[in-house]
Amino acid sequence: QVQLVQSGGGLVQAGDSLTLSCAASRRTVSSYTMGWFRQAPGKERDFVAGIIWSDSGTYYAESVKGRFTISRDNAKNTVYLQMNSLKPEDTAVYYCAAGTVLVARRASNYASWGQGTQVTVSS
């Protein structure tokens, strides 16, 4: 499986921006997409955004459309999540993951996970 190392996160105010990164130690033939999930305390891990490795096609959860942007740097084998206009409800631990299908919005479609990083948005 792919090893994923995350960077970024932190404490920001509502309306601020933050960028998360996720570096993959290696690529495998079974990794077709990269995704970001988030999980608040006591809640399920929810899909946030995904990107298709082959053509950089992207897809998002409705709650973050227009505010978050997922992108990749293939040379660095790194995926980013640019978060703008952050809201308190965006507060969660964010995880990147490598998926085994082209488009994946369920956690069960991801085989490898990063360690998670805390994003806290104050009012």
Side-chain angles (χ1 to χ4, degrees):
Q1 64 180 24
V2 179
Q3 285 75 51
L4 305 175
V5 180
Q6 297 180 223
S7 300
L11 175 63
V12 299
Q13 296 186 59
D16 284 354
S17 298
L18 198 63
T19 300
L20 308 180
S21 65
C22 176
S25 61
R26 62 182 63 87
R27 297 282 300 281
T28 68
V29 69
S30 61
S31 297
Y32 296 106
T33 192
M34 296 290 293
W36 288 94
F37 286 73
R38 65 188 182 187
Q39 186 169 22
K43 298 183 179 180
E44 297 293 323
R45 186 171 298 186
D46 293 327
F47 170 79
V48 176
I51 185 167
I52 303 168
W53 270 116
S54 60
D55 63 1
S56 297
T58 59
Y59 48 101
Y60 299 89
E62 288 295 327
S63 60
V64 305
K65 281 184 177 179
R67 298 190 299 120
F68 290 11
T69 302
I70 185 171
S71 62
R72 67 166 175 82
D73 184 335
N74 195 48
K76 297 181 179 180
N77 223 23
T78 299
V79 177
Y80 305 92
L81 184 67
Q82 174 66 48
M83 303 181 291
N84 298 324
S85 302
L86 282 162
K87 305 174 181 179
E89 52 262 44
D90 295 319
T91 295
V93 176
Y94 284 70
Y95 299 88
C96 67
T100 57
V101 299
L102 197 62
V103 178
R105 297 181 176 87
R106 299 190 298 178
S108 61
N109 290 133
Y110 291 83
S112 300
W113 294 84
Q115 78 276 20
T117 185
Q118 178 71 47
V119 173
T120 302
V121 185
S122 63
S123 301

